Amino acid sequence: MEKKPHFVRREFLPREVPSVSLALLLAAVLLLNALLYLYLNKFYISLGRVETDHGLCPFGYFRFGAVKNCSPWLSCEAINTEVRKLKCVGEGAVKKVFLSEWKEKKVVLSHLTNSELKEDFLHGLKMLKALQSKHVVRLLGYCEQQFTILTEYHPLGSLRGLNETLHIPKYKGMNTWHRRLMLAIDYVSVIRYLHSSPLGTLVMCDSNDLDKVLSQYLLTSDFHVLVNDLDALPLVNRSAGRLVKCGHRELRGEFVAPEQRWPYGEDVPFEDDLMPPYDEKTDIWKIPDVSNFFLGHVEGSDIVRLHLFDIHTACKKKDPAERPSAQEVLDTYRKVLTLLIQEAAMPGTREML
């Protein structure tokens, strides 16, 4: 009697293939994670967002452009003889700003315009000298006697022109949720730096509306954010019981924090002496509004807003003590960026597993 053949291999083959495929898939995922980690590491470093900046010069010196050596801040004599004004590019309550030239390089020369505000001007200069870092516009020189400050020039100007810049053909490739979130991270990094600065906890007081906030910051050619105007940076010192007030006039509107508004109602006329002081948490209140501007309305920006919803809700707590610190906001922003990059790099991985 003829024996029937036993197809042993056919019985095991269907079980072996899925096991091998799963192992290969898991190995691929692990490899992708490793590559993603290396990418993110390189990503932060290439964008200059590492915490240490080895490119900074010692106090009193600056490095300009591609020059490797540090030069001392320009003196009154050097500014008067070596710097040539080209045109006026802006004027505020305190300063008039001129696009100028020094050694064939574009620079910015700022002059005091109102002698009654010289204390504000000198305070801004003091802050600029003390806070030189990757977060602050580079100081090139100054002349206290003539109330003059020389700083680095950034052709893209203030953040007020961000959306217009992103519609220029040259920069349209930058108009993504990814790059916009990086700008928001830069902005929060500046706030974090001011709140933990070498001088102590500083409050960004020139921030009573969105337009005013944006005018205080510059957009660099490699798409980073620098704080430019430091005329109104009062110091909070809790241990000494020292809080701040941003100016001597009544502040209104939803943009400013609740504690910055007159607390005694419309029936009581505003008096500066009766206005309670506050701390740096006023800056935290404004972060969601500024970040909303940064994110714009590009593809993916609503997904970013969804991921930031909880931290932004916390920023808007009426009680300042319940709001997160700038460091906590920054940590959350970075986690969201990493998460969204992972999801973009490995779409569908979860479903495959």
Side-chain angles (χ1 to χ4, degrees), residues 309-325:
F309 179 81
D310 289 343
I311 192 68
H312 283 173
T313 299
C315 290
K316 290 293 187 179
K317 293 280 189 182
K318 188 172 183 180
D319 182 354
E322 294 181 4
R323 295 174 205 154
S325 66

Side-chain angles (χ1 to χ4, degrees), residues 109-353:
L109 194 65
S110 302
H111 283 301
L112 176 69
T113 55
N114 186 346
S115 59
E116 294 180 1
L117 298 175
K118 64 181 181 182
E119 293 303 319
D120 291 345
F121 183 91
L122 293 175
H123 176 74
L125 174 58
K126 177 185 175 182
M127 295 293 105
L128 198 53
K129 290 192 290 183
L131 298 176
Q132 283 295 288
S133 70
K134 66 183 180 182
H135 303 292
V136 179
V137 69
R138 185 173 292 145
L139 177 64
L140 307 179
Y142 64 91
C143 181
E144 284 194 38
Q145 298 94 311
Q146 298 173 9
F147 297 99
T148 300
I149 298 173
L150 191 71
T151 54
E152 190 174 16
Y153 171 62
H154 293 280
L156 296 183
S158 80
L159 288 176
R160 284 190 295 191
L162 174 63
N163 289 323
E164 289 75 12
T165 297
L166 289 171
H167 282 94
I168 297 173
K170 179 181 177 181
Y171 299 112
K172 277 188 175 180
M174 298 287 195
N175 196 16
T176 63
W177 70 262
H178 173 274
R179 183 61 66 167
R180 283 176 171 272
L181 179 54
M182 281 303 305
L183 291 175
I185 289 174
D186 274 4
Y187 166 71
V188 177
S189 296
V190 173
I191 298 298
R192 190 279 312 269
Y193 175 68
L194 295 178
H195 288 185
S196 56
S197 82
L199 301 177
T201 302
L202 299 168
V203 181
M204 193 66 177
C205 266
D206 260 345
S207 56
N208 298 334
D209 57 63
L210 179 61
D211 193 64
K212 186 64 174 174
V213 171
L214 298 176
S215 71
Q216 309 301 303
Y217 295 86
L218 295 171
L219 179 64
T220 67
S221 296
D222 58 349
F223 270 70
H224 288 301
V225 174
L226 297 175
V227 63
N228 181 51
D229 196 328
L230 304 174
D231 295 343
L233 276 184
L235 179 68
V236 169
N237 188 338
R238 283 194 187 82
S239 59
R242 181 178 176 181
L243 300 177
V244 305
K245 287 192 286 187
C246 291
H248 305 286
R249 298 179 181 179
E250 182 179 2
L251 301 179
R252 296 176 178 268
E254 293 298 315
F255 188 82
V256 296
E259 63 271 23
Q260 292 184 280
R261 302 172 210 154
W262 180 242
Y264 303 116
E266 295 289 340
D267 296 334
V268 181
F270 177 82
E271 288 186 43
D272 184 42
D273 292 339
L274 297 178
M275 180 67 198
Y278 34 83
D279 63 17
E280 77 281 2
K281 291 298 184 74
T282 58
D283 289 333
I284 304 300
W285 171 274
K286 298 161 188 172
I287 286 176
D289 298 292
V290 180
S291 289
N292 188 54
F293 167 81
F294 279 123
L295 293 175
H297 300 285
V298 297
E299 183 180 353
S301 62
D302 287 341
I303 299 297
V304 179
R305 287 185 179 90
L306 184 63
H307 280 80
L308 296 176
F309 179 81
D310 289 343
I311 192 68
H312 283 173
T313 299
C315 290
K316 290 293 187 179
K317 293 280 189 182
K318 188 172 183 180
D319 182 354
E322 294 181 4
R323 295 174 205 154
S325 66
Q327 182 66 62
E328 290 170 323
V329 178
L330 181 59
D331 290 343
T332 301
Y333 274 39
R334 286 174 170 168
K335 286 176 183 176
V336 167
L337 175 64
T338 301
L339 174 66
L340 291 177
I341 289 177
Q342 286 176 334
E343 290 181 352
M346 297 185 292
T349 300
R350 187 177 303 169
E351 290 77 3
M352 291 167 66
L353 293 173

